[in-house]
Amino acid sequence: MQFAPLYPIAYQILKPTFNNCLWAGSVAQPYVALTFDDGPHPQWTPQLLAVLDRYNITASFFWLGACVNRTPDIAKEVYRRGHWVGLHGYDHRIFPRLAPDSLRWSLSQTQIAIANACELDLEDVCKQVRDVRPPNGMFTPQTLKWLRKWNYRPVMWSVVPEDWLRPGVSVVVQRVLRQVRNGSLIVLHDGACGGQDVAETTAQIIELLLQLGLKFVTVDRLWQQISYPRAR
């Protein structure tokens, strides 16, 4: 069953209720963020990178630690090209089902994987790679309290075209076009589910949104438009 029609409704309800998350940027500026979950993937991510290079666009990737460990060269290439990197957990387990220690381990192990793959200092990665998107967008108020306590920043979404179900490139593109506006935070997937279409889908989305006068930025740029205090 597809839930794509329900995501815009959920967004309108959840955004004001959980306003310490990044759901979208400012509607006053023509910026949108392309974000990609579940990678890196040995086949789909390089195809996606070629598209982003073609249009000179910087995107944001929310990685699974296990995938980083399996494809460190791909992870390093994404980072080398200047894309923004965030955390999606180590193995896509749903955050509310994890005990606090298990959740923190999942995030820290993903940071370790990123540091190793990208040949970065682990302390720097722990300070800089702190954006977290919960798998399947599932969280609880307690989940957010833990993330805040550990100085992570929860990143959600405003446009979810359900590309992981592969309804067809044209369907995904039309869903994005119907929902997109200034500040939109768009979720696509370059992992095992949905990654087969991600390069073509992304190319079409970029072409159409550029025609609308929108500019592509990373989630970090969207964070700069809202206030999110650090944990003490």
Side-chain angles (χ1 to χ4, degrees), residues 93-99 103 134-135 138-140 143 146:
R93 286 187 292 168
I94 304 303
F95 285 179
R97 296 177 182 173
L98 298 177
L103 175 56
M138 295 183 64
F139 64 92
T140 64
T143 305
W146 288 333

Side-chain angles (χ1 to χ4, degrees), residues 37 113 179 208:
D37 291 1
Q179 299 177 43
L208 293 167

